[in-house]
Amino acid sequence: MRRSTITTRVLGGSALACAAAALALVFVRYDAPAPRTDILAALGLAAVAAAGWAFACRTAPAFGPAPAPEAGPSSALPGRLPPPRRDLGTVIGFLLLALTPYSAHRLAQGPGGGGVFLGLVGLLLIVVTVKVMLFVRKQTSMKQRLLKLKVLAEDAAHGEVYAVRVRAGEPVRTRFSERGDKPGAVDVSYWHWIVLREGAQEIRLAAPRGDVARAAVRFGGQEGWLYLPKRWKLIDDELPAAFVADGGEALLGLTDPDEVRAYLVKDLRTTSPDRAARRVPSTAKFRAPVHLPLFGGVLLATLLALPVLLLGEDVPTAAAWFLCALAAGSAVTGALRRGGDGARAVLSDVPWTQRDETDPSIA
């Protein structure tokens, strides 16, 4: 696990921006004559930036434990909590991937439009693209979690939260099996949290997998404060919580109210508006098992579309459509074929405690 740096962020953002420019030029200059050197230049710059990003990620400083405060733990609790992290790079990457088939279709049409058949295919791709974007938005939405964490942040800013001293422990990954939608089927979901200990009591602080992995490396064995909202009675189901280490870094997530109920009647503490907690530093995103197939798929897609980009209308319509369809399929397949390896790569960064749980109704 490597730390994210200014260099990795700039190069990664540049690669996404150049890729977005290449897709946009297909529509903005759809009537431009061949050769399409503008699109090829944008793709070339994207390739250079992506290669630089991968190298910068591999050579970035190691992601290690958070330093302990030299003066020891402070009695003043930070009153300002950091906002939850949003992985905009991954979201933008998925959106660009969703637009790729429609961009390839528009490229195949050329300045002349491509006829009725390609027009109908375009309408179908528009519908599919919109549905994929809505699906991505649904999967990446954290509305309820964000609303709950906002309550905790407001309570801390207003000067009072329930808080208890805890020690950060190991990260846990639970495989939960329950009744599926179809007869005889079982649905499996995964939950990730870091264990916080107050004496013999264990408290599970759940958060996205990547956040838990980073927190496990930064906080393992360190002490800090577990924040709970003053207005907890106005929140249903899981409660928002934050572990604020003595060094000032914080992990925000959700916890089971039954595990913290004993602290919600006696441990109301004052926070200091002059002190602010910080988010756990971000990590470099490059994962060879995930990104190398993606880069290979994009490279193959560029090579397949090269005749259309260089010759334009000199390529027969059927051949242009076939090449662009193969190019879109190559790019999408390269991204999705090894998608599960991203989760396995994150899991391999830290020693997870694996647990299996089953819904009592099917146990």
Side-chain angles (χ1 to χ4, degrees), residues 13 44 117-118 121 211 221 236 254 282 335 339:
F117 175 71
L118 284 182
V121 173
D211 290 349
D236 295 329
L254 302 176
S282 57

Side-chain angles (χ1 to χ4, degrees), residues 155-226:
D155 286 353
H158 292 160
E160 285 187 325
V161 293
Y162 289 96
V164 60
R165 292 287 293 177
V166 294
R167 179 183 296 274
E170 69 279 4
V172 177
R173 182 176 192 251
T174 294
R175 182 178 186 271
F176 183 74
S177 302
E178 59 186 339
R179 188 190 308 271
D181 295 332
K182 298 180 181 179
V186 175
D187 283 344
V188 177
S189 55
Y190 293 90
W191 302 90
H192 304 84
W193 60 71
I194 189 169
V195 175
L196 305 176
R197 292 184 172 86
E198 192 272 322
Q201 175 69 22
E202 286 193 357
I203 303 166
R204 298 175 294 179
L205 180 58
R209 179 181 58 235
D211 290 349
V212 175
R214 284 185 287 268
V217 174
R218 296 293 283 179
F219 301 146
Q222 296 190 17
E223 293 188 348
W225 292 95
L226 173 65

Side-chain angles (χ1 to χ4, degrees), residues 88-336:
L88 294 179
T90 300
V91 174
I92 294 173
F94 272 118
L95 293 179
L96 294 180
L97 183 65
L99 285 171
T100 296
Y102 187 59
S103 298
H105 166 266
R106 187 65 191 85
L107 181 63
Q109 283 183 299
V116 177
F117 175 71
L118 284 182
L120 293 176
V121 173
L123 290 176
L124 176 62
L125 285 175
I126 290 175
V127 174
V128 173
T129 301
V130 171
K131 287 184 174 294
V132 170
M133 287 183 172
L134 292 175
F135 174 77
V136 171
R137 183 179 183 275
K138 181 179 179 181
Q139 294 299 311
T140 57
S141 175
M142 301 184 295
K143 182 177 180 181
Q144 288 300 317
R145 178 173 176 266
L146 292 176
L147 289 175
K148 290 183 177 184
L149 291 174
K150 182 180 178 181
V151 174
L152 177 61
E154 290 175 348
D155 286 353
H158 292 160
E160 285 187 325
V161 293
Y162 289 96
V164 60
R165 292 287 293 177
V166 294
R167 179 183 296 274
E170 69 279 4
V172 177
R173 182 176 192 251
T174 294
R175 182 178 186 271
F176 183 74
S177 302
E178 59 186 339
R179 188 190 308 271
D181 295 332
K182 298 180 181 179
V186 175
D187 283 344
V188 177
S189 55
Y190 293 90
W191 302 90
H192 304 84
W193 60 71
I194 189 169
V195 175
L196 305 176
R197 292 184 172 86
E198 192 272 322
Q201 175 69 22
E202 286 193 357
I203 303 166
R204 298 175 294 179
L205 180 58
R209 179 181 58 235
D211 290 349
V212 175
R214 284 185 287 268
V217 174
R218 296 293 283 179
F219 301 146
Q222 296 190 17
E223 293 188 348
W225 292 95
L226 173 65
Y227 282 31
L228 299 165
K230 182 179 180 182
R231 292 174 288 170
W232 64 274
K233 292 182 180 179
L234 304 179
I235 301 174
D236 295 329
D237 302 322
E238 297 91 354
L239 294 179
F243 173 72
V244 181
D246 290 336
E249 294 180 0
L251 170 67
L252 281 67
L254 302 176
T255 191
D256 187 339
D258 291 335
E259 295 181 357
V260 296
R261 199 171 303 279
Y263 313 119
L264 296 173
V265 293
K266 60 178 181 178
D267 292 304
L268 191 63
R269 299 183 183 275
T270 302
T271 59
S272 173
D274 298 329
R275 297 192 64 214
R278 308 180 306 277
R279 280 194 303 206
V280 174
S282 57
T283 51
K285 297 293 190 299
F286 176 76
R287 306 281 179 182
V290 178
H291 292 101
L292 291 183
L294 171 60
F295 294 163
V298 172
L299 176 60
L300 180 58
T302 302
L303 294 176
L304 288 169
L306 197 59
V308 182
L309 292 170
L310 293 177
L311 302 176
E313 291 187 301
D314 291 340
V315 179
T317 300
W321 184 87
F322 181 70
L323 289 172
C324 289
L326 286 180
S330 173
V332 173
T333 302
L336 299 182

